[in-house]
Every structure is written in C-alpha cells, then in structure tokens.
Amino acid sequence: MLNKTLKRFYKLAEVAEVSGGFAVHLDGRCVKTPAGRKLEVPFRALAEAMAVEWREQGEEIKPKSMPMTQLVSTALDRVGPERATILDQLTRFSDTDLLCYRAEAPQDLVARQTGQWQPLLDWAAEAIGARLVVTTGVIAVDQPAGAVAALAARLDGYDDWRLTAAQATCAAAGSLVLALALVEGRLDGERTYALSQLDETFQIEQWGEDAEAADRRAALRRDILAAERLLALAV
C-alpha cells in the first residue's frame, strides 16, 4: 500500500490501544504494512505521529509525505525480520564512509573536512573503539578488522527502532559514523545533514546550485530529520 499513490479510501485515522501497544486504524480497521503486518508500535507518541500523517492526506495518499509510517513499516517488515542482514549491510558502510575520504585540494576544502569531520572520527575511536583510516581520493580502503568489529558490536546493541534510524541516516548521509553520532545524541539532525553535505556545500559556494541538486539535497535532509524524529518518538 505504501509504495504507490492511491486514492484516499477512508474518513477517520485514529490510534487504538491493542495488545501489542498502539495501532493506527482507518475507519476502525488496522493499517497494514507493505508486507501485510499490522501497523502497531509500543509507543503512543509514534502511533499518534503516524495517525496525523494519515489524517493530513488529501484526495490521494502520497507515501513520501508520510515518513514515520514509512520508517515504522521498514522496521516491522525488514529490520526486525532481517536483522542480521541489515547489520551486515550497515557494517559494510565502514569501508566507504564519507568522513574517511578527503580531498587533496583546494586547501580551503581540505581544512573544512579536517576541522569538521575529524572530530567525529575521533569520537568514534574513543567512544566506540573504532579507529578508522583516513585516505585521499576515491579508491576504497579496507578498514582495520578491530574497528569494523567495534562498529558491528555497537550496532548490534541497538533495538530495531534505533537500527532503523541508523539505516535511514546512513543511506542519506553516506556515513555510518554520522548515523551512529545521530542515534547516540552526539549530533542533531540538522548538523548531521550539514556534515554529510560539506563537499556539496563547498561546491555550491563556488558555483551555485541548480534546481535538481537542490531537490535532491532537500530529500536527503528530510530523510535524516525523519530518522531523528523516529528516535525521539520511539521511547
């Protein structure tokens, strides 16, 4: 249901208490995820946020305007049932983490990357035990096995909601370290987005930005802020 635009087929979107916590009901019927699971969560605030998304739909249901519903569906359909796969996919991001790939020039960009990205890598080394290797250029480097293992262990300690937020942030930011920093409260959503767009922002300052690039950046920002909101509601 959530993968395509549909005509609105309901009048009321409400939260109902159920044995598993709280569910979103449309005209008295529980919403289902794309995989057919009931849209139920153990957090009233999160259920209320999803219900608001359904209430605010117009004549057509537009999934992209329902970030909490999409993230919860991902948690229920993929992250929970396929946890081992998700953990493996996220851990693999360590080899291509944005923060580890630096420019050789111009010096202004090099200084900006070092000044703003390195503190996050230092945090990962100290707080998580993951000391990642920094390189220049785009050729991938293999990160130390001990660092990768530390990242995997940290992720494995997350519940499904935090893991869902980490996955969404990592995909949007291109950085597992930024995702971990957001999940653990080291960064807020806006700062996470800004750091993930450091290179692009530098280029925009030099050459400007076209509409297509602006739309893409706006979509990435929405994804990161949605992950931050999921973390705030899933408590």
Side-chain angles (χ1 to χ4, degrees), residues 27-196:
D27 293 340
R29 296 184 178 183
C30 189
V31 179
K32 298 291 185 66
T33 69
R37 292 179 173 84
K38 292 181 178 180
L39 198 65
E40 297 178 357
V41 296
F43 315 103
R44 178 181 284 278
L46 182 55
E48 292 285 0
M50 290 190 291
V52 168
E53 291 179 342
W54 287 92
R55 287 185 204 122
E56 291 181 344
Q57 297 303 300
E59 294 183 0
E60 292 185 335
I61 300 171
K62 298 179 179 180
K64 289 185 178 180
S65 68
M66 307 170 74
M68 290 303 101
T69 300
Q70 290 193 317
L71 285 171
V72 169
S73 296
T74 297
L76 297 176
D77 286 352
R78 293 198 59 229
V79 175
E82 303 172 20
R83 184 178 178 87
T85 299
I86 299 298
L87 286 169
D88 180 64
Q89 290 174 346
L90 276 173
T91 303
R92 289 175 183 271
F93 262 94
S94 60
D95 285 337
T96 57
D97 196 293
L98 172 70
L99 306 192
C100 296
Y101 291 84
R102 308 289 176 82
E104 295 180 292
Q107 189 55 43
D108 287 351
L109 177 57
V110 172
R112 190 176 301 188
Q113 290 175 339
T114 301
Q116 298 189 40
W117 286 352
Q118 191 59 45
L120 272 299
L121 292 183
D122 293 342
W123 167 80
E126 295 169 7
I128 301 174
R131 192 169 299 279
L132 299 175
V133 174
V134 173
T135 187
T136 56
V138 296
I139 298 176
V141 295
D142 292 331
Q143 294 293 347
V148 175
L151 292 170
R154 195 68 158 216
L155 288 167
D156 195 28
Y158 290 173
D159 61 21
D160 289 348
W161 308 105
R162 290 192 294 169
L163 196 58
T164 299
Q167 180 195 40
T169 303
C170 191
S175 168
L176 178 55
V177 172
L178 287 179
L180 291 166
L182 177 67
V183 171
E184 302 201 5
R186 178 68 173 74
L187 298 173
D188 64 16
E190 291 288 4
R191 184 59 176 160
T192 301
Y193 167 73
L195 288 170
S196 75

